[in-house]
Tab-separated table of all heavy atoms in Angstrom:
chain	number	residue	atom	x	y	z
B	330	LEU	N	119.140	91.281	33.465
B	330	LEU	CA	117.734	91.196	33.065
B	330	LEU	C	117.534	90.247	31.887
B	330	LEU	O	116.414	89.982	31.495
B	330	LEU	CB	117.210	92.591	32.687
B	330	LEU	CG	117.300	93.627	33.804
B	330	LEU	CD1	116.903	95.005	33.286
B	330	LEU	CD2	116.415	93.223	34.970
B	331	GLY	N	118.622	89.772	31.326
B	331	GLY	CA	118.511	88.810	30.226
B	331	GLY	C	118.600	87.412	30.788
B	331	GLY	O	118.896	87.204	31.961
B	332	THR	N	118.356	86.444	29.942
B	332	THR	CA	118.519	85.072	30.408
B	332	THR	C	119.927	84.617	30.056
B	332	THR	O	120.457	84.962	29.011
B	332	THR	CB	117.510	84.125	29.735
B	332	THR	OG1	117.541	84.381	28.333
B	332	THR	CG2	116.122	84.353	30.257
B	333	THR	N	120.524	83.904	30.952
B	333	THR	CA	121.867	83.409	30.713
B	333	THR	C	122.007	82.031	31.324
B	333	THR	O	121.381	81.734	32.346
B	333	THR	CB	122.911	84.374	31.306
B	333	THR	OG1	124.183	83.735	31.285
B	333	THR	CG2	122.573	84.752	32.728
B	334	GLU	N	122.791	81.207	30.662
B	334	GLU	CA	122.965	79.856	31.178
B	334	GLU	C	123.793	79.879	32.460
B	334	GLU	O	123.587	79.107	33.371
B	334	GLU	CB	123.652	78.983	30.132
B	334	GLU	CG	123.670	77.519	30.535
B	334	GLU	CD	124.516	76.675	29.613
B	334	GLU	OE1	125.122	77.222	28.689
B	334	GLU	OE2	124.566	75.462	29.840
B	335	TRP	N	124.734	80.842	32.487
B	335	TRP	CA	125.641	80.879	33.635
B	335	TRP	C	124.975	81.548	34.820
B	335	TRP	O	124.568	82.705	34.749
B	335	TRP	CB	126.918	81.615	33.264
B	335	TRP	CG	127.923	81.549	34.360
B	335	TRP	CD1	128.593	80.456	34.786
B	335	TRP	CD2	128.368	82.638	35.191
B	335	TRP	NE1	129.433	80.774	35.818
B	335	TRP	CE2	129.306	82.101	36.091
B	335	TRP	CE3	128.055	83.981	35.265
B	335	TRP	CZ2	129.941	82.883	37.048
B	335	TRP	CZ3	128.690	84.758	36.210
B	335	TRP	CH2	129.622	84.209	37.097
B	336	GLN	N	124.806	80.841	35.897
B	336	GLN	CA	124.090	81.378	37.047
B	336	GLN	C	124.993	82.146	37.999
B	336	GLN	O	124.556	83.094	38.630
B	336	GLN	CB	123.347	80.270	37.785
B	336	GLN	CG	122.215	79.673	36.941
B	336	GLN	CD	121.190	80.706	36.506
B	336	GLN	OE1	120.860	81.606	37.261
B	336	GLN	NE2	120.716	80.604	35.269
B	337	GLY	N	126.227	81.731	38.089
B	337	GLY	CA	127.173	82.534	38.854
B	337	GLY	C	127.035	82.442	40.354
B	337	GLY	O	127.963	82.072	41.037
B	338	GLY	N	125.872	82.724	40.875
B	338	GLY	CA	125.744	82.876	42.316
B	338	GLY	C	125.351	81.624	43.070
B	338	GLY	O	125.063	81.687	44.248
B	339	THR	N	125.333	80.487	42.399
B	339	THR	CA	124.844	79.301	43.064
B	339	THR	C	125.917	78.592	43.892
B	339	THR	O	125.625	77.648	44.599
B	339	THR	CB	124.294	78.287	42.031
B	339	THR	OG1	125.327	78.037	41.082
B	339	THR	CG2	123.094	78.851	41.306
B	340	ASP	N	127.130	79.066	43.767
B	340	ASP	CA	128.233	78.493	44.545
B	340	ASP	C	127.935	78.552	46.045
B	340	ASP	O	127.193	79.408	46.482
B	340	ASP	CB	129.464	79.366	44.287
B	340	ASP	CG	130.608	78.566	43.736
B	340	ASP	OD1	130.543	78.223	42.544
B	340	ASP	OD2	131.533	78.314	44.509
B	341	PRO	N	128.518	77.658	46.817
B	341	PRO	CA	128.290	77.747	48.262
B	341	PRO	C	128.748	79.084	48.832
B	341	PRO	O	128.255	79.522	49.864
B	341	PRO	CB	129.127	76.602	48.827
B	341	PRO	CG	129.920	76.050	47.696
B	341	PRO	CD	129.292	76.484	46.437
B	342	GLY	N	129.655	79.724	48.151
B	342	GLY	CA	129.976	81.071	48.598
B	342	GLY	C	131.287	81.190	49.299
B	342	GLY	O	131.903	80.215	49.714
B	343	LEU	N	131.706	82.410	49.412
B	343	LEU	CA	132.969	82.684	50.075
B	343	LEU	C	132.759	82.634	51.574
B	343	LEU	O	131.689	82.953	52.068
B	343	LEU	CB	133.438	84.084	49.706
B	343	LEU	CG	133.833	84.285	48.257
B	343	LEU	CD1	134.205	85.730	48.059
B	343	LEU	CD2	135.001	83.398	47.911
B	344	SER	N	133.796	82.286	52.254
B	344	SER	CA	133.757	82.325	53.698
B	344	SER	C	133.753	83.777	54.162
B	344	SER	O	134.620	84.560	53.787
B	344	SER	CB	134.984	81.603	54.238
B	344	SER	OG	135.273	82.067	55.530
B	345	ALA	N	132.772	84.134	54.966
B	345	ALA	CA	132.717	85.495	55.501
B	345	ALA	C	133.926	85.774	56.393
B	345	ALA	O	134.367	86.913	56.523
B	345	ALA	CB	131.421	85.705	56.280
B	346	THR	N	134.447	84.731	56.991
B	346	THR	CA	135.639	84.903	57.842
B	346	THR	C	136.848	85.281	57.000
B	346	THR	O	137.631	86.156	57.367
B	346	THR	CB	135.959	83.578	58.576
B	346	THR	OG1	134.841	82.738	58.552
B	346	THR	CG2	136.391	83.844	59.966
B	347	ILE	N	136.984	84.590	55.848
B	347	ILE	CA	138.117	84.908	54.973
B	347	ILE	C	137.953	86.321	54.430
B	347	ILE	O	138.891	87.121	54.408
B	347	ILE	CB	138.202	83.883	53.814
B	347	ILE	CG1	138.521	82.495	54.368
B	347	ILE	CG2	139.263	84.304	52.802
B	347	ILE	CD1	138.494	81.384	53.328
B	348	HIS	N	136.733	86.630	54.053
B	348	HIS	CA	136.423	87.969	53.556
B	348	HIS	C	136.836	89.026	54.584
B	348	HIS	O	137.440	90.043	54.264
B	348	HIS	CB	134.920	88.039	53.320
B	348	HIS	CG	134.531	89.041	52.303
B	348	HIS	ND1	134.176	88.709	51.029
B	348	HIS	CD2	134.469	90.383	52.370
B	348	HIS	CE1	133.897	89.803	50.359
B	348	HIS	NE2	134.070	90.828	51.145
B	349	PHE	N	136.513	88.754	55.829
B	349	PHE	CA	136.825	89.663	56.932
B	349	PHE	C	138.337	89.803	57.110
B	349	PHE	O	138.872	90.901	57.215
B	349	PHE	CB	136.173	89.088	58.195
B	349	PHE	CG	136.572	89.750	59.481
B	349	PHE	CD1	136.015	90.958	59.858
B	349	PHE	CD2	137.502	89.145	60.327
B	349	PHE	CE1	136.370	91.559	61.055
B	349	PHE	CE2	137.868	89.734	61.515
B	349	PHE	CZ	137.300	90.959	61.884
B	350	ARG	N	139.036	88.661	57.075
B	350	ARG	CA	140.498	88.692	57.247
B	350	ARG	C	141.190	89.450	56.127
B	350	ARG	O	142.238	90.049	56.338
B	350	ARG	CB	141.061	87.255	57.234
B	350	ARG	CG	140.947	86.499	58.510
B	350	ARG	CD	141.988	85.370	58.558
B	350	ARG	NE	141.878	84.400	57.485
B	350	ARG	CZ	141.100	83.328	57.528
B	350	ARG	NH1	140.333	83.091	58.578
B	350	ARG	NH2	141.073	82.483	56.529
B	351	GLU	N	140.599	89.360	54.928
B	351	GLU	CA	141.267	89.932	53.759
B	351	GLU	C	140.777	91.338	53.424
B	351	GLU	O	141.031	91.837	52.344
B	351	GLU	CB	141.036	89.017	52.545
B	351	GLU	CG	141.749	87.687	52.642
B	351	GLU	CD	141.608	86.865	51.363
B	351	GLU	OE1	140.783	87.200	50.507
B	351	GLU	OE2	142.358	85.876	51.245
B	352	ARG	N	140.029	91.983	54.347
B	352	ARG	CA	139.399	93.234	53.930
B	352	ARG	C	140.396	94.349	53.650
B	352	ARG	O	140.144	95.205	52.804
B	352	ARG	CB	138.313	93.667	54.916
B	352	ARG	CG	138.778	93.996	56.327
B	352	ARG	CD	137.608	93.797	57.292
B	352	ARG	NE	137.860	94.343	58.616
B	352	ARG	CZ	138.608	93.755	59.547
B	352	ARG	NH1	139.218	92.600	59.281
B	352	ARG	NH2	138.781	94.304	60.726
B	353	ASP	N	141.521	94.335	54.317
B	353	ASP	CA	142.539	95.339	53.987
B	353	ASP	C	143.104	95.113	52.584
B	353	ASP	O	143.388	96.062	51.866
B	353	ASP	CB	143.701	95.291	54.993
B	353	ASP	CG	143.355	96.035	56.274
B	353	ASP	OD1	142.333	96.763	56.284
B	353	ASP	OD2	144.097	95.873	57.258
Side-chain angles (χ1 to χ4, degrees):
Chain B
L330 301 174
T332 48
T333 169
E334 189 188 2
W335 186 68
Q336 294 302 322
T339 55
D340 237 75
L343 293 177
S344 156
T346 342
I347 295 174
H348 205 103
F349 170 79
R350 279 203 301 273
E351 291 186 347
R352 64 205 192 282
D353 279 348

